[in-house]
Amino acid sequence: GENVEQHPSTLSVQEGDSAVIKCTYSDSASNYFPWYKQELGKRPQLIIDIRSNVGEKKDQRIAVTLNKTAKHFSLHITETQPEDSAVYFCAASSGGGADGLTFGKGTHLIIQP
Amino acid sequence: KAGVTQTPRYLIKTRGQQVTLSCSPISGHRSVSWYQQTPGQGLQFLFEYFSETQRNKGNFPGRFSGRQFSNSRSEMNVSTLELGDSALYLCASSLQHPSEQFFGPGTRLTVL
């Protein structure tokens, strides 16, 4: 089955700086890669996603890049703000027409004032 | 549209008991997936249902089972509870594959 590795497990950055979180996946058939943000005590919420036919996607301060050959994808957050502090999860959904996400272990992003 | 709802929100059981959790997806969503979230293992996929059929299954023992009804509502059942089953159980619904999965608030299960 699919295996998703996520690094780092904790990331501390100064407010206003950029943050980068990286994930690798094992199943070359995976075709959908979402990123979720989970604040303490709340449910995961999608912040951005990318499909396997696209190399990069951007939404304001957030961008995701996908390298299918190397089987890795990354989340980039620019101009970080205190409200960006949360746990971020990457995930991969394999092909075959069925849902069911394999998640990375999560990155605790800490924005230092 | 109302979001994904889960009941109950909190549950305390003892070892050996069984439990049933319920999930109501967003109206019109036919896919429901279940996940277990623990501090040590993170978010792990349990199973996914679409039009009352289990389409996909994670690597969990047979004590974990589920079903989906004709109105897309889903239940998951855990039999012979173990201490290690203590976790937050999240369900998520989606409109089509692959697309955004919307998560419910979760059911916090504590096994004593």
Side-chain angles (χ1 to χ4, degrees), chain A residues 31-32 36 38 43-44 46 49 51 89 93-101 103-105, chain B residues 4 31 33 35 37 41 43 45 48 55-56 90 94 96-101 103-105:
Chain A
N31 59 4
Y32 176 64
Y36 282 82
Q38 187 175 29
R43 71 191 77 183
L46 183 80
D49 57 11
R51 285 164 172 73
F89 293 94
S93 178
S94 59
D99 274 329
L101 296 170
F103 282 88
K105 286 284 170 61
Chain B
V4 179
S31 170
S33 298
Y35 299 89
Q37 185 171 29
Q41 297 299 317
L43 275 158
F45 171 66
E48 184 246 357
R55 267 196 320 195
N56 201 359
L90 292 158
S94 61
Q96 60 186 15
H97 174 83
S99 63
E100 176 178 3
Q101 292 197 11
F103 282 85

Short mmCIF file of all heavy atoms in Angstrom, two decimals, chain A residues 31-32 36 38 43-44 46 49 51 89 93-101 103-105, chain B residues 4 31 33 35 37 41 43 45 48 55-56 90 94 96-101 103-105:
data_model
loop_
_atom_site.label_atom_id
_atom_site.label_comp_id
_atom_site.label_asym_id
_atom_site.label_seq_id
_atom_site.Cartn_x
_atom_site.Cartn_y
_atom_site.Cartn_z
N ASN A 31 -2.58 9.88 -7.28
CA ASN A 31 -2.91 10.94 -8.23
C ASN A 31 -3.50 12.20 -7.60
O ASN A 31 -3.87 13.13 -8.30
CB ASN A 31 -3.89 10.40 -9.29
CG ASN A 31 -5.18 9.88 -8.67
OD1 ASN A 31 -5.39 9.98 -7.46
ND2 ASN A 31 -6.05 9.33 -9.50
N TYR A 32 -3.60 12.23 -6.28
CA TYR A 32 -4.20 13.39 -5.61
C TYR A 32 -3.47 13.61 -4.30
O TYR A 32 -3.30 12.68 -3.51
CB TYR A 32 -5.69 13.12 -5.38
CG TYR A 32 -6.42 14.19 -4.61
CD1 TYR A 32 -6.57 15.48 -5.13
CD2 TYR A 32 -6.98 13.94 -3.37
CE1 TYR A 32 -7.24 16.47 -4.44
CE2 TYR A 32 -7.65 14.92 -2.67
CZ TYR A 32 -7.77 16.18 -3.21
OH TYR A 32 -8.44 17.15 -2.52
N TYR A 36 -3.65 19.31 4.71
CA TYR A 36 -4.64 19.69 5.70
C TYR A 36 -3.96 20.41 6.86
O TYR A 36 -2.84 20.10 7.24
CB TYR A 36 -5.38 18.45 6.24
CG TYR A 36 -6.45 17.92 5.31
CD1 TYR A 36 -6.12 17.07 4.24
CD2 TYR A 36 -7.77 18.29 5.48
CE1 TYR A 36 -7.10 16.61 3.38
CE2 TYR A 36 -8.76 17.81 4.61
CZ TYR A 36 -8.40 16.98 3.57
OH TYR A 36 -9.38 16.52 2.71
N GLN A 38 -4.58 21.37 10.88
CA GLN A 38 -5.39 21.02 12.03
C GLN A 38 -4.95 21.84 13.23
O GLN A 38 -3.82 21.69 13.72
CB GLN A 38 -5.30 19.52 12.35
CG GLN A 38 -6.27 19.08 13.44
CD GLN A 38 -6.26 17.57 13.66
OE1 GLN A 38 -5.25 16.90 13.45
NE2 GLN A 38 -7.40 17.01 14.10
N ARG A 43 -11.05 19.96 13.77
CA ARG A 43 -10.95 18.97 12.71
C ARG A 43 -9.96 19.41 11.64
O ARG A 43 -9.71 20.60 11.47
CB ARG A 43 -12.35 18.77 12.08
CG ARG A 43 -12.83 19.95 11.24
CD ARG A 43 -14.29 19.83 10.88
NE ARG A 43 -15.18 20.17 11.97
CZ ARG A 43 -16.50 20.08 11.92
NH1 ARG A 43 -17.10 19.63 10.83
NH2 ARG A 43 -17.25 20.41 12.95
N PRO A 44 -9.38 18.47 10.91
CA PRO A 44 -8.50 18.85 9.79
C PRO A 44 -9.29 19.60 8.73
O PRO A 44 -10.44 19.24 8.42
CB PRO A 44 -8.01 17.49 9.26
CG PRO A 44 -8.24 16.53 10.37
CD PRO A 44 -9.46 17.01 11.09
N LEU A 46 -8.86 21.31 4.74
CA LEU A 46 -8.03 21.39 3.53
C LEU A 46 -7.56 22.82 3.30
O LEU A 46 -8.34 23.77 3.40
CB LEU A 46 -8.86 20.95 2.32
CG LEU A 46 -8.11 20.92 0.99
CD1 LEU A 46 -7.27 19.65 0.91
CD2 LEU A 46 -9.06 21.01 -0.19
N ASP A 49 -4.66 21.61 -2.49
CA ASP A 49 -4.45 20.27 -3.01
C ASP A 49 -3.91 20.36 -4.43
O ASP A 49 -3.98 21.41 -5.08
CB ASP A 49 -5.74 19.43 -2.98
CG ASP A 49 -6.91 20.08 -3.74
OD1 ASP A 49 -6.69 21.07 -4.47
OD2 ASP A 49 -8.05 19.60 -3.59
N ARG A 51 -3.26 17.86 -8.13
CA ARG A 51 -3.46 16.59 -8.82
C ARG A 51 -2.23 16.23 -9.62
O ARG A 51 -1.40 17.10 -9.90
CB ARG A 51 -4.71 16.65 -9.70
CG ARG A 51 -5.99 16.57 -8.88
CD ARG A 51 -7.24 17.01 -9.62
NE ARG A 51 -8.45 16.74 -8.86
CZ ARG A 51 -8.83 17.42 -7.79
NH1 ARG A 51 -8.10 18.38 -7.33
NH2 ARG A 51 -9.96 17.08 -7.17
N PHE A 89 -0.73 18.35 7.77
CA PHE A 89 -0.62 16.98 7.30
C PHE A 89 -0.63 16.96 5.77
O PHE A 89 -1.49 17.57 5.14
CB PHE A 89 -1.80 16.13 7.78
CG PHE A 89 -1.86 15.91 9.25
CD1 PHE A 89 -2.62 16.74 10.06
CD2 PHE A 89 -1.18 14.85 9.83
CE1 PHE A 89 -2.68 16.53 11.43
CE2 PHE A 89 -1.23 14.62 11.20
CZ PHE A 89 -1.99 15.47 12.00
N SER A 93 -3.69 10.17 -2.23
CA SER A 93 -4.81 9.29 -2.55
C SER A 93 -4.45 8.52 -3.79
O SER A 93 -4.16 9.11 -4.83
CB SER A 93 -6.08 10.11 -2.79
OG SER A 93 -7.16 9.26 -3.14
N SER A 94 -4.46 7.23 -3.70
CA SER A 94 -4.03 6.41 -4.83
C SER A 94 -5.13 6.33 -5.87
O SER A 94 -6.28 6.66 -5.62
CB SER A 94 -3.67 5.01 -4.36
OG SER A 94 -4.77 4.41 -3.74
N GLY A 95 -4.78 5.90 -7.04
CA GLY A 95 -5.74 5.75 -8.11
C GLY A 95 -6.66 4.58 -7.87
O GLY A 95 -6.69 4.01 -6.80
N GLY A 96 -7.44 4.23 -8.82
CA GLY A 96 -8.36 3.11 -8.65
C GLY A 96 -9.76 3.54 -8.38
O GLY A 96 -10.65 2.71 -8.24
N GLY A 97 -9.98 4.83 -8.29
CA GLY A 97 -11.35 5.33 -8.16
C GLY A 97 -11.91 5.32 -6.76
O GLY A 97 -13.06 5.69 -6.55
N ALA A 98 -11.14 4.91 -5.78
CA ALA A 98 -11.67 4.87 -4.42
C ALA A 98 -11.00 5.93 -3.58
O ALA A 98 -9.81 6.20 -3.73
CB ALA A 98 -11.45 3.50 -3.81
N ASP A 99 -11.75 6.54 -2.70
CA ASP A 99 -11.18 7.51 -1.77
C ASP A 99 -10.52 6.79 -0.62
O ASP A 99 -10.62 5.59 -0.47
CB ASP A 99 -12.27 8.44 -1.26
CG ASP A 99 -12.48 9.62 -2.19
OD1 ASP A 99 -11.51 10.03 -2.83
OD2 ASP A 99 -13.61 10.10 -2.28
N GLY A 100 -9.88 7.55 0.23
CA GLY A 100 -9.14 6.97 1.34
C GLY A 100 -7.74 7.52 1.27
O GLY A 100 -6.97 7.18 0.37
N LEU A 101 -7.42 8.42 2.17
CA LEU A 101 -6.15 9.11 2.13
C LEU A 101 -5.13 8.45 3.05
O LEU A 101 -5.46 8.02 4.15
CB LEU A 101 -6.33 10.57 2.58
CG LEU A 101 -7.21 11.45 1.68
CD1 LEU A 101 -7.50 12.77 2.38
CD2 LEU A 101 -6.54 11.68 0.35
N PHE A 103 -1.99 9.48 5.15
CA PHE A 103 -1.46 10.72 5.68
C PHE A 103 -0.01 10.57 6.13
O PHE A 103 0.43 9.49 6.56
CB PHE A 103 -2.27 11.17 6.90
CG PHE A 103 -3.58 11.81 6.55
CD1 PHE A 103 -4.73 11.05 6.39
CD2 PHE A 103 -3.68 13.19 6.40
CE1 PHE A 103 -5.93 11.64 6.07
CE2 PHE A 103 -4.88 13.80 6.08
CZ PHE A 103 -6.01 13.02 5.92
N GLY A 104 0.73 11.68 6.04
CA GLY A 104 2.01 11.77 6.72
C GLY A 104 1.76 11.95 8.20
O GLY A 104 0.62 12.15 8.64
N LYS A 105 2.82 11.89 8.99
CA LYS A 105 2.69 11.94 10.45
C LYS A 105 2.44 13.36 10.98
O LYS A 105 2.15 13.54 12.16
CB LYS A 105 3.95 11.37 11.11
CG LYS A 105 4.05 9.85 11.00
CD LYS A 105 3.11 9.18 11.95
CE LYS A 105 2.94 7.72 11.76
NZ LYS A 105 4.01 6.85 11.87
N VAL B 4 -20.28 17.93 7.92
CA VAL B 4 -20.28 16.53 8.35
C VAL B 4 -20.52 16.50 9.86
O VAL B 4 -19.90 17.27 10.61
CB VAL B 4 -18.93 15.86 8.03
CG1 VAL B 4 -18.92 14.42 8.51
CG2 VAL B 4 -18.65 15.95 6.54
N SER B 31 -19.52 9.46 -0.78
CA SER B 31 -18.35 8.76 -0.25
C SER B 31 -18.11 9.16 1.19
O SER B 31 -18.09 10.36 1.52
CB SER B 31 -17.12 9.10 -1.10
OG SER B 31 -15.95 8.61 -0.48
N SER B 33 -15.38 8.26 4.36
CA SER B 33 -14.16 7.58 4.81
C SER B 33 -14.02 7.74 6.31
O SER B 33 -14.45 8.75 6.88
CB SER B 33 -12.92 8.18 4.13
OG SER B 33 -12.96 8.02 2.73
N TYR B 35 -11.27 7.52 9.68
CA TYR B 35 -9.87 7.59 10.08
C TYR B 35 -9.76 7.49 11.60
O TYR B 35 -10.63 7.94 12.33
CB TYR B 35 -9.24 8.91 9.62
CG TYR B 35 -9.25 9.10 8.13
CD1 TYR B 35 -10.33 9.71 7.49
CD2 TYR B 35 -8.19 8.67 7.34
CE1 TYR B 35 -10.36 9.88 6.12
CE2 TYR B 35 -8.20 8.84 5.97
CZ TYR B 35 -9.29 9.44 5.37
OH TYR B 35 -9.29 9.61 4.01
N GLN B 37 -7.27 8.76 14.65
CA GLN B 37 -6.18 9.68 14.94
C GLN B 37 -5.69 9.47 16.36
O GLN B 37 -6.46 9.58 17.32
CB GLN B 37 -6.60 11.14 14.74
CG GLN B 37 -5.44 12.11 14.91
CD GLN B 37 -5.78 13.53 14.51
OE1 GLN B 37 -6.92 13.97 14.60
NE2 GLN B 37 -4.77 14.26 14.04
N GLN B 41 0.44 7.49 16.18
CA GLN B 41 0.32 6.99 14.80
C GLN B 41 -0.25 8.01 13.83
O GLN B 41 -0.27 7.77 12.63
CB GLN B 41 -0.55 5.73 14.78
CG GLN B 41 0.03 4.56 15.55
CD GLN B 41 1.36 4.13 15.00
OE1 GLN B 41 1.55 4.05 13.78
NE2 GLN B 41 2.31 3.90 15.89
N LEU B 43 -2.88 10.15 11.68
CA LEU B 43 -4.16 9.86 11.03
C LEU B 43 -4.01 8.61 10.19
O LEU B 43 -3.23 8.56 9.24
CB LEU B 43 -4.55 11.02 10.11
CG LEU B 43 -5.28 12.19 10.74
CD1 LEU B 43 -5.11 13.44 9.87
CD2 LEU B 43 -6.76 11.87 10.90
N PHE B 45 -6.03 5.61 7.91
CA PHE B 45 -7.23 5.29 7.15
C PHE B 45 -7.80 3.94 7.58
O PHE B 45 -7.08 2.94 7.64
CB PHE B 45 -6.89 5.27 5.66
CG PHE B 45 -7.98 4.76 4.77
CD1 PHE B 45 -9.17 5.46 4.62
CD2 PHE B 45 -7.81 3.58 4.06
CE1 PHE B 45 -10.17 4.99 3.78
CE2 PHE B 45 -8.80 3.10 3.22
CZ PHE B 45 -9.98 3.80 3.09
N GLU B 48 -13.41 3.08 3.48
CA GLU B 48 -14.19 4.04 2.72
C GLU B 48 -15.41 3.34 2.12
O GLU B 48 -15.31 2.21 1.64
CB GLU B 48 -13.37 4.67 1.60
CG GLU B 48 -14.12 5.77 0.83
CD GLU B 48 -14.39 5.42 -0.62
OE1 GLU B 48 -13.96 4.34 -1.08
OE2 GLU B 48 -15.04 6.23 -1.31
N ARG B 55 -15.33 0.34 -0.56
CA ARG B 55 -14.50 0.41 -1.76
C ARG B 55 -13.03 0.27 -1.45
O ARG B 55 -12.22 -0.08 -2.30
CB ARG B 55 -14.69 1.76 -2.47
CG ARG B 55 -15.71 1.79 -3.52
CD ARG B 55 -15.61 2.99 -4.44
NE ARG B 55 -15.30 4.26 -3.85
CZ ARG B 55 -15.46 5.42 -4.49
NH1 ARG B 55 -15.94 5.42 -5.72
NH2 ARG B 55 -15.16 6.57 -3.92
N ASN B 56 -12.68 0.59 -0.23
CA ASN B 56 -11.27 0.66 0.12
C ASN B 56 -11.14 0.37 1.62
O ASN B 56 -12.03 0.72 2.41
CB ASN B 56 -10.73 2.06 -0.21
CG ASN B 56 -9.23 2.08 -0.37
OD1 ASN B 56 -8.56 1.06 -0.23
ND2 ASN B 56 -8.70 3.25 -0.68
N LEU B 90 -12.40 10.02 13.18
CA LEU B 90 -12.88 11.06 12.27
C LEU B 90 -13.51 10.42 11.04
O LEU B 90 -12.99 9.44 10.51
CB LEU B 90 -11.72 11.94 11.82
CG LEU B 90 -11.07 12.83 12.87
CD1 LEU B 90 -9.67 13.21 12.46
CD2 LEU B 90 -11.91 14.08 13.09
N SER B 94 -16.90 13.09 0.77
CA SER B 94 -16.47 13.77 -0.45
C SER B 94 -17.49 13.53 -1.55
O SER B 94 -18.28 12.58 -1.51
CB SER B 94 -15.08 13.31 -0.88
OG SER B 94 -15.08 11.93 -1.15
N GLN B 96 -16.76 13.37 -5.05
CA GLN B 96 -16.29 12.45 -6.08
C GLN B 96 -14.80 12.23 -5.89
O GLN B 96 -14.14 12.97 -5.19
CB GLN B 96 -16.55 13.01 -7.47
CG GLN B 96 -15.87 14.35 -7.72
CD GLN B 96 -16.25 14.98 -9.05
OE1 GLN B 96 -17.22 14.58 -9.66
NE2 GLN B 96 -15.48 15.94 -9.50
N HIS B 97 -14.28 11.23 -6.55
CA HIS B 97 -12.86 10.93 -6.43
C HIS B 97 -12.11 11.47 -7.63
O HIS B 97 -12.54 11.27 -8.75
CB HIS B 97 -12.65 9.41 -6.32
CG HIS B 97 -11.22 9.01 -6.34
ND1 HIS B 97 -10.42 9.04 -5.23
CD2 HIS B 97 -10.42 8.65 -7.37
CE1 HIS B 97 -9.21 8.67 -5.56
NE2 HIS B 97 -9.17 8.42 -6.85
N PRO B 98 -10.91 12.07 -7.45
CA PRO B 98 -10.41 12.50 -6.16
C PRO B 98 -10.81 13.94 -5.90
O PRO B 98 -10.75 14.78 -6.78
CB PRO B 98 -8.89 12.40 -6.34
CG PRO B 98 -8.67 12.71 -7.79
CD PRO B 98 -9.93 12.27 -8.53
N SER B 99 -11.24 14.21 -4.72
CA SER B 99 -11.61 15.59 -4.40
C SER B 99 -11.50 15.79 -2.90
O SER B 99 -11.23 14.86 -2.16
CB SER B 99 -13.04 15.87 -4.87
OG SER B 99 -13.95 15.05 -4.18
N GLU B 100 -11.74 17.01 -2.50
CA GLU B 100 -11.59 17.37 -1.11
C GLU B 100 -12.45 16.51 -0.22
O GLU B 100 -13.64 16.30 -0.50
CB GLU B 100 -11.94 18.83 -0.90
CG GLU B 100 -11.88 19.26 0.57
CD GLU B 100 -12.20 20.72 0.77
OE1 GLU B 100 -12.53 21.39 -0.22
OE2 GLU B 100 -12.13 21.18 1.92
N GLN B 101 -11.85 16.04 0.85
CA GLN B 101 -12.62 15.34 1.88
C GLN B 101 -12.89 16.32 3.01
O GLN B 101 -11.99 17.00 3.49
CB GLN B 101 -11.83 14.14 2.41
CG GLN B 101 -11.67 13.04 1.37
CD GLN B 101 -11.26 11.71 1.95
OE1 GLN B 101 -11.27 11.50 3.16
NE2 GLN B 101 -10.90 10.79 1.09
N PHE B 103 -14.00 16.89 6.77
CA PHE B 103 -13.99 16.11 8.00
C PHE B 103 -15.08 16.54 8.97
O PHE B 103 -15.45 17.73 9.04
CB PHE B 103 -12.64 16.24 8.70
CG PHE B 103 -11.56 15.40 8.08
CD1 PHE B 103 -10.85 15.84 7.00
CD2 PHE B 103 -11.29 14.14 8.60
CE1 PHE B 103 -9.86 15.05 6.42
CE2 PHE B 103 -10.31 13.34 8.03
CZ PHE B 103 -9.60 13.80 6.94
N GLY B 104 -15.55 15.57 9.73
CA GLY B 104 -16.45 15.85 10.84
C GLY B 104 -15.63 16.21 12.06
O GLY B 104 -14.40 16.17 12.03
N PRO B 105 -16.31 16.55 13.16
CA PRO B 105 -15.60 16.97 14.38
C PRO B 105 -14.95 15.81 15.13
O PRO B 105 -14.10 16.03 15.99
CB PRO B 105 -16.70 17.60 15.23
CG PRO B 105 -17.94 16.92 14.79
CD PRO B 105 -17.76 16.65 13.32
#
